[in-house]
Amino acid sequence: MDIIEFIISNTPTILALVATGIFAGILAGLLGVGGGIVIVPVLFFLFQGFGVSAESAMVIATATSLATIVPTSISSIRSHNQKGNVDFNLLKSWAIFILIGVLIGSWLVTRVDGTWLTVLFGVIATLSALNMLFRTGKSALFLTLPGKGGQTIMGSSIGFFSSMVGIGGGTISVPLLTLYNYPAHKAVGTAAAIGLIISLPGAVTILVLGSTPSDAPVGTFGLVNLIGFVCIVPLTVLFAPLGASLSAKLDAAKLKKIFAVVLLITGLRMLIQIAL
């Protein structure tokens, strides 16, 4: 089958993945949310629509999302670093612990049933949505970051949970850092770098150790859907600046609340699907 025949025979899948990339890019630029928190649930439901089981859909969505975060996080790091918002001292302290968490988490992705990953993502998405709805702009709970032991737990937990559900560092690390009176702009910039520490080793580990499910969608290698990667990455990078420019014209705070409600519904729907 040549490339033209392949595209024609898989047009619905390709168009859906293209739309996912555009949607994730605009939201990332508009609301400052990580692409993974959008890409994972979209791919999860999308793949099921093409006949993939919920268990397989979740592990493939997780792995594919991690792979897409690698190039987008590099672009994001450069942008934030130009503004001086990447805390390299914190990264030096946390990097090894984040990496350990990532390696354990991504290894588990290749071993556990996708049902558990769905539950974990549903819980994280629900908590993230509630944080956006009720804690954004609130004062910090602590004056400074904890000691070395506490930061070790924070770093390894961010790496572990993020790699297991296919998200970058921002979804967990930004609200966690701001709880400890860490400047919000530096938290966002540093989270972009954390995203690279999570996504690169996580995607490689899953790519090498993962076995392709029998009902995987076309174009899946290991647990990464390469068609999804090719469609999503360039469009996410291309449309993120559009989202950023829209944020200057629209009420981003109100839109973020709307997104939080959608994310809350999505997280709860994933949990309900598993429960039923």
Side-chain angles (χ1 to χ4, degrees):
M1 180 184 294
D2 62 27
I3 188 67
I4 301 299
E5 292 177 356
F6 178 83
I7 292 173
I8 292 173
S9 62
N10 294 284
T11 297
T13 304
I14 292 171
L15 289 176
L17 291 169
V18 165
T20 301
I22 294 172
F23 183 57
I26 291 175
L27 279 182
L30 183 63
L31 305 177
V33 297
I37 201 72
V38 176
I39 292 169
V40 171
V42 170
L43 292 183
F44 173 69
F45 292 115
L46 176 65
F47 289 152
Q48 288 182 76
F50 291 115
V52 180
S53 67
E55 293 78 12
S56 297
M58 189 61 197
V59 293
I60 296 169
T62 298
T64 304
S65 176
L66 278 176
T68 66
I69 291 169
V70 175
T72 55
S73 64
I74 293 172
S75 174
S76 184
I77 290 168
R78 292 174 60 187
S79 174
H80 285 292
N81 189 42
Q82 288 173 355
K83 300 173 184 176
N85 289 337
V86 180
D87 187 344
F88 288 101
N89 290 326
L90 183 70
L91 288 173
K92 288 176 185 177
S93 300
W94 285 26
I96 186 63
F97 305 112
I98 296 172
L99 180 60
I100 291 170
V102 168
L103 293 176
I104 296 171
S106 53
W107 173 77
L108 279 174
V109 170
T110 68
R111 295 292 183 269
V112 302
D113 190 296
T115 300
W116 295 107
L117 300 181
T118 307
V119 171
L120 184 58
F121 185 93
V123 170
I124 290 175
T126 300
L127 293 176
S128 178
L130 292 173
N131 179 72
M132 287 184 202
L133 286 170
F134 300 113
R135 272 216 54 84
T136 301
K138 297 290 180 67
S139 58
L141 295 181
F142 308 97
L143 293 178
T144 60
L145 287 170
K148 190 168 183 179
Q151 291 189 48
T152 297
I153 294 172
M154 288 171 69
S156 55
S157 298
I158 289 168
F160 178 76
F161 289 112
S162 297
S163 61
M164 285 201 73
V165 294
I167 57 179
T171 301
I172 298 176
S173 62
V174 171
L176 193 58
L177 284 169
T178 52
L179 277 179
Y180 287 89
N181 203 32
Y182 194 83
H185 59 285
K186 276 195 174 291
V188 173
T190 305
I194 290 173
L196 182 61
I197 299 173
I198 291 168
S199 59
L200 183 56
V204 171
T205 301
I206 292 173
L207 195 63
V208 172
L209 300 180
S211 300
T212 308
S214 58
D215 61 344
V218 64
T220 302
F221 180 78
L223 291 173
V224 177
N225 186 265
L226 297 181
I227 299 177
F229 178 84
V230 170
C231 290
I232 291 170
V233 169
L235 290 165
T236 301
V237 174
L238 183 65
F239 279 87
L242 174 60
S245 65
L246 285 174
S247 69
K249 303 172 184 177
L250 302 173
D251 187 343
K254 185 176 292 184
L255 289 171
K256 196 161 191 173
K257 297 292 185 184
I258 295 171
F259 172 73
V261 172
V262 173
L263 182 61
L264 179 62
I265 293 169
T266 301
L268 292 174
R269 183 182 171 189
M270 293 173 80
L271 293 173
I272 291 169
Q273 177 175 321
I274 295 301
L276 296 178

